[in-house]
Amino acid sequence: NSSLIQTALNSPQDPAAQDLLVQVCQNMLSFSQIFEKNPSIRTRYFASFSQNENVNGRTFIETWVNALDGLKDQTRLERIGLTGSNDVIEEQKKQFLTQRETILTESTTLIRKYMSEFSAGKAPLNFTTMGAALKEVPPSSVQTFSLQGRNAVVESITIDWNKSVATLNLYSDIQNLRNGLDHEKVDQVVYNEVATLSRQSGEQVSPLLDHFVIEMNDLPEAGSFLALKLYNIAKAESATLKDSIVSSWAPKHPDLQRNIFPVWDYETYQKLGVSEKKLGLVVFSPSMLNQMPPQMAPRGFKMNSIYVIAKGVDKIIQRYEDGDSEGAKQFLQDFSELRTLLQKAGFVGYSGSAYPLAAEFKSDFIFEQEDYYQDLLKATRENFSVHGTKRYAVLEFSNLEQRILTENKIDNQIHEDLLKWRDDYRAAQVDVRGVSKFDVPAPTKNVLLDNLKLSAIKYFRGDERKVIRWGLDLSGGKTVQLELRDSNNKVVTNESDIKQGINELYGRVNKMGISEVSIRQEGTSIALDFPGSQSLSAAELVKASSMYFHIMNEKFMTSPTLAESTHRFLQEVWNEAVVTGKKESDEINAIAWRHLYGESSSPDAVQPRSAAAKTLYDQGLRLAHPQDTNASSNLDINLSKITLYRGEDFTEWHGQTHPLLIVFRNYALEGSNLDNIRANYDPSKGNFLAFGVQSSSSGKDG
């Protein structure tokens, strides 16, 4: 909480910073409403707002209150300045400003009432204090660290060195409330906190009875490990980046010439005088310092990132943006070229005042590339993991069986890449998707010979199940699993019905004229192996599959006045899904239903679990009951559902910290509406489908 406030106070007039202040206040008010009768929990939580290093708690909180008062006055003036017309958009904006003003008023009243509790934050634990505590007990026993009230929910961390398990122990007062009548809201607070800890530490946190645990090993029976020191990667990447900037960026503005605006590495930058540090580019990676922050690395910089810091540029850009002079235009053009160069290298740019960084970087523009080591780690094809301090990439070893399975997996990936390469090359030769045949080089290996070699290696290595399998191994293709459902949308489990389904599929496949298709039963499912050489398989599969396209509910997903509430609601749903391990679509919709309606089984007696859920419900959001799976193509904007982006982490979620979207329950298109379906593979996209729409329908109302 303290870091979020400090970030917002760096630039209180920035709309993003103002939104952040309101978000912190919303969290604070929601927490206070739940725990207003529990002074011990409330005291721990309030203290977190001044939990910062080298900061006077009371002065910090008073500065925060003054910023909230200023924002409240600004919001009131903006509301009064509205014309008062009956325009729908203006009415929504008025409601939004009124709600914000109420939040700010209640927040300042609460802070002033409990000023002493808000000002009582302790200095955070750091790498030095935790490292010293680790050495006090031999690593062959169980060790418990008390957080001494620094977290409102987690009291201590217990490490069992023999079992390689860390346990997050909740406070007894929190546990008692979780067992009480109002446990849903308390559980949500716990889920939110644990999910935040999981994201920040890069650790997988799982529930176990009334605790949460972190398994310190990824592999069963892990007995040893290989640690790759990321310092060397950061050093090489930074040197390459610096050379690239020097050779590829040639600014014309006199203030950006090398003699005025040099390019430094961080070691050189540290040796400069104060006046020399005002203008220039600094290429910096905290992990290169070979020590942990805060002793060496400036506050706020992350160990898993490489930075390019444009010293003094942020203020110059703000001054030049409204200028019409040739000098201003040239400066912005030169800086735009630098931005484009770094964006192509995977960097994201932002103002130094937008993050809680060290004071010396407040006037700078900063480019950041996260997880700079990923390309190298992926090239090894090994299952390296990077956790915690982000200083090492660790590869675990357990036993011979696990190592054989890993080597088989790596060899399979190499062969699959060769198959995709071959398919991409063939597609390019016939100019599919507008790709020139010269864009994709010919494979350097023969697919047949590589398959024979792979089968022989796996046979003698010990995986006798992987002896030559003609068909998919040689030609690529697809394996599709189907489940049968009856007219009531229930999964068919009767053995004779499944056999009848297999016979029906055989008939359909024969009509399609596709040879070498393997159809088999796997439990209550039916699996089909389609060789990729059959051109009709992708189209026919899609037409016969349960592929549906839903319309996004734009009122909640894109409306400026509801975007924040929607984000908070979906984030809370995703937090619970992550912590409880319930990430399937039907499980997430069940969680969302409980958040919106509470534990009530009737939509008429709702008890939204959070302020965000109540806002969305009051604005008309209604979710289909999780057990109601009936949907049609008829336009219905009354009921919505939650769907997910593909991808394992936030880098694939289009800028969101969760993969969730609100869409209408009924679908707009299904597989039978699609035409000219083509299955393709692209290195940047993975497998994807290209298609046209054959037919669509619209209601009588258009």
Side-chain angles (χ1 to χ4, degrees):
N1 289 320
S2 180
S3 296
L4 294 175
I5 295 171
Q6 193 167 29
T7 301
L9 293 180
N10 288 336
S11 50
Q13 296 306 315
D14 185 350
Q18 294 176 350
D19 290 342
L20 185 57
L21 283 175
V22 176
Q23 177 186 335
V24 171
C25 290
Q26 285 179 316
N27 293 339
M28 178 182 65
L29 293 174
S30 297
F31 195 100
S32 302
Q33 290 169 0
I34 298 172
F35 299 106
E36 59 184 348
K37 297 180 180 179
N38 302 91
S40 59
I41 302 175
R42 184 194 67 212
T43 300
R44 294 195 301 266
Y45 178 70
F46 286 169
S48 70
F49 288 82
S50 60
Q51 186 170 299
N52 213 320
E53 293 206 18
N54 306 319
V55 171
N56 180 286
R58 189 172 187 88
T59 303
F60 181 75
I61 296 301
E62 288 175 349
T63 305
W64 176 35
V65 173
N66 291 335
L68 295 180
D69 283 335
L71 179 57
K72 179 174 61 177
D73 293 340
Q74 179 182 331
T75 304
R76 183 184 297 113
L77 291 174
E78 189 176 353
R79 175 178 57 80
I80 295 173
L82 295 176
T83 60
S85 67
N86 294 325
D87 182 69
V88 175
I89 297 178
E90 183 164 312
E91 184 62 31
Q92 287 182 343
K93 187 173 183 180
K94 185 177 181 180
Q95 292 178 1
F96 169 73
L97 293 174
T98 302
Q99 183 183 29
R100 171 173 282 199
E101 188 178 344
T102 302
I103 291 171
L104 293 170
T105 302
E106 292 177 356
S107 297
T108 52
T109 302
L110 181 68
I111 297 168
R112 290 190 171 99
K113 180 180 179 181
Y114 296 104
M115 177 62 75
S116 59
E117 294 183 12
F118 276 98
S119 306
K122 301 177 181 179
L125 294 172
N126 57 39
F127 188 73
T128 302
T129 53
M130 293 296 289
L134 277 170
K135 297 175 183 177
E136 293 177 1
V137 179
S140 59
S141 57
V142 177
Q143 187 173 6
T144 299
F145 300 95
S146 172
L147 300 185
Q148 301 171 357
R150 288 177 172 84
N151 188 287
V153 173
V154 180
E155 179 180 17
S156 61
I157 304 173
T158 298
I159 300 179
D160 188 329
W161 295 103
N162 292 325
K163 297 180 180 179
S164 294
V165 173
T167 303
L168 306 182
N169 306 306
L170 306 185
Y171 279 96
S172 57
D173 49 13
I174 291 285
Q175 290 288 16
N176 292 336
L177 291 176
R178 294 185 75 193
N179 297 327
L181 295 176
D182 201 21
H183 65 90
E184 303 92 357
K185 294 182 178 179
V186 179
D187 280 344
Q188 189 57 53
V189 171
V190 174
Y191 292 148
N192 289 343
E193 183 64 25
V194 172
T196 300
L197 296 174
S198 176
R199 285 194 298 271
Q200 291 179 340
S201 63
E203 301 284 359
Q204 180 66 45
V205 185
S206 306
L208 180 64
L209 300 177
D210 56 352
H211 301 89
F212 293 89
V213 298
I214 301 171
E215 296 286 347
M216 290 195 267
N217 292 331
D218 294 328
L219 289 179
E221 302 178 17
S224 59
F225 62 87
L226 173 70
L228 176 63
K229 200 170 186 178
L230 299 178
Y231 161 83
N232 297 301
I233 303 177
K235 185 177 180 181
E237 291 274 1
S238 299
T240 302
L241 179 63
K242 180 185 173 184
D243 293 341
S244 175
I245 293 173
V246 171
S247 61
S248 303
W249 185 48
K252 297 178 182 178
H253 193 280
D255 289 344
L256 295 177
Q257 298 298 313
R258 293 283 181 267
N259 58 334
I260 303 295
F261 200 79
V263 182
W264 303 299
D265 56 49
Y266 189 68
E267 185 177 356
T268 303
Y269 169 78
Q270 281 185 304
K271 297 175 182 177
L272 299 175
V274 176
S275 60
E276 297 175 293
K277 291 181 176 180
K278 290 184 177 180
L279 285 174
L281 278 182
V282 185
V283 181
F284 170 55
S285 176
S287 58
M288 282 181 60
L289 300 176
N290 206 23
Q291 294 191 34
M292 280 299 299
Q295 295 90 337
M296 291 292 293
R299 175 175 51 79
F301 288 93
K302 294 181 286 190
M303 297 292 287
N304 61 320
S305 295
I306 290 179
Y307 298 89
V308 176
I309 306 168
K311 295 293 298 176
V313 167
D314 192 38
K315 285 190 174 180
I316 298 176
I317 292 175
Q318 293 176 16
R319 189 167 67 247
Y320 277 172
E321 278 181 339
D322 297 328
D324 294 328
S325 67
E326 290 300 322
K329 293 179 181 178
Q330 185 61 58
F331 188 96
L332 294 176
Q333 180 181 338
D334 289 340
F335 188 75
S336 177
E337 291 174 359
L338 175 64
R339 186 198 296 264
T340 301
L341 174 67
L342 293 173
Q343 283 178 342
K344 290 180 178 178
F347 283 77
V348 175
Y350 53 82
S351 170
S353 62
Y355 287 82
L357 304 174
E360 63 179 299
F361 300 102
K362 296 302 180 189
S363 301
D364 308 334
F365 196 91
I366 297 174
F367 297 94
E368 178 182 3
Q369 180 192 43
E370 285 192 289
D371 297 340
Y372 60 88
Y373 40 75
Q374 282 301 329
D375 287 346
L376 180 67
L377 297 187
K378 289 180 179 178
T380 68
R381 297 183 184 271
E382 296 281 359
N383 192 27
F384 278 97
S385 58
V386 181
H387 298 294
T389 63
K390 315 292 186 182
R391 299 179 69 203
Y392 298 93
V394 177
L395 178 65
E396 293 181 1
F397 301 100
S398 58
N399 52 41
L400 180 60
E401 179 185 357
Q402 288 293 328
R403 188 59 205 166
I404 288 174
L405 292 174
T406 299
E407 292 188 3
N408 287 341
K409 180 181 178 182
I410 292 172
D411 288 341
N412 287 341
Q413 288 177 342
I414 294 173
H415 186 66
E416 288 170 6
D417 286 346
L418 178 61
L419 289 170
K420 292 171 183 175
W421 183 2
R422 192 271 313 270
D423 291 344
D424 228 25
Y425 173 73
R426 288 180 174 176
Q429 301 310 298
V430 294
D431 199 28
V432 174
R433 292 182 284 117
V435 178
S436 168
K437 65 179 181 179
F438 301 110
D439 288 345
V440 182
T444 55
K445 292 183 179 180
N446 183 283
V447 173
L448 173 62
L449 295 179
D450 192 73
N451 180 258
L452 292 171
K453 177 183 176 183
L454 176 60
S455 298
I457 289 174
K458 288 194 289 188
Y459 179 82
F460 289 105
R461 183 183 285 155
D463 191 359
E464 67 281 352
R465 295 166 299 173
K466 296 289 185 180
V467 188
I468 302 175
R469 287 195 342 209
W470 307 97
L472 286 188
D473 275 357
L474 289 179
S475 62
K478 308 164 190 68
T479 297
V480 179
Q481 256 192 340
L482 306 175
E483 65 178 11
L484 304 181
R485 290 180 176 266
D486 60 21
S487 57
N488 295 320
N489 204 33
K490 302 294 184 182
V491 177
V492 174
T493 58
N494 184 277
E495 191 74 18
S496 61
D497 291 338
I498 294 174
K499 295 293 185 185
Q500 182 180 348
I502 292 176
N503 293 334
E504 175 66 22
L505 283 171
Y506 268 119
R508 292 192 184 189
V509 167
N510 289 333
K511 290 180 181 179
M512 289 161 59
I514 301 176
S515 60
E516 300 180 9
V517 176
S518 169
I519 304 179
R520 62 188 186 279
Q521 180 178 347
E522 292 186 356
T524 59
S525 301
I526 303 173
L528 297 88
D529 293 336
F530 283 81
S533 58
Q534 308 295 336
S535 60
L536 294 177
S537 59
E540 294 297 331
L541 277 173
V542 172
K543 287 180 180 296
S545 70
S546 299
M547 177 177 283
Y548 298 103
F549 295 82
H550 294 259
I551 301 173
M552 181 187 295
N553 192 332
E554 293 185 342
K555 175 180 178 180
F556 297 100
M557 293 305 303
T558 62
S559 168
T561 57
L562 295 175
E564 176 60 28
S565 296
T566 299
H567 170 73
R568 286 164 54 81
F569 173 74
L570 294 178
Q571 185 67 67
E572 290 171 352
V573 171
W574 181 244
N575 287 346
E576 182 171 342
V578 169
V579 174
T580 58
K582 298 178 179 179
K583 297 183 182 180
E584 297 298 325
S585 179
D586 55 345
E587 294 172 328
I588 286 176
N589 275 279
I591 293 172
W593 167 274
R594 293 197 300 271
H595 278 244
L596 188 65
Y597 295 102
E599 296 301 309
S600 171
S601 59
S602 170
D604 300 324
V606 299
Q607 296 175 329
R609 191 179 283 187
S610 66
K614 186 177 187 308
T615 298
L616 298 188
Y617 184 84
D618 291 343
Q619 291 296 321
L621 179 63
R622 299 294 184 268
L623 296 179
H625 195 280
Q627 296 179 357
D628 181 7
T629 57
N630 295 320
S632 71
S633 59
N634 297 325
L635 182 64
D636 181 4
I637 60 173
N638 296 315
L639 286 179
S640 298
K641 62 181 289 188
I642 309 298
T643 189
L644 296 88
Y645 279 127
R646 292 177 58 188
E648 294 297 322
D649 57 50
F650 71 93
T651 59
E652 302 178 79
W653 297 340
H654 304 272
Q656 297 184 167
T657 55
H658 57 78
L660 307 183
L661 296 169
I662 300 177
V663 299
F664 291 118
R665 194 267 299 265
N666 284 356
Y667 55 87
L669 288 173
E670 58 179 332
S672 59
N673 296 125
L674 306 184
D675 190 21
N676 194 23
I677 304 164
R678 303 178 303 282
N680 292 298
Y681 173 80
D682 184 276
S684 62
K685 302 177 183 177
N687 294 299
F688 70 96
L689 291 171
F691 52 81
V693 178
Q694 180 182 19
S695 62
S696 61
S697 60
S698 56
K700 295 179 180 179
D701 57 356

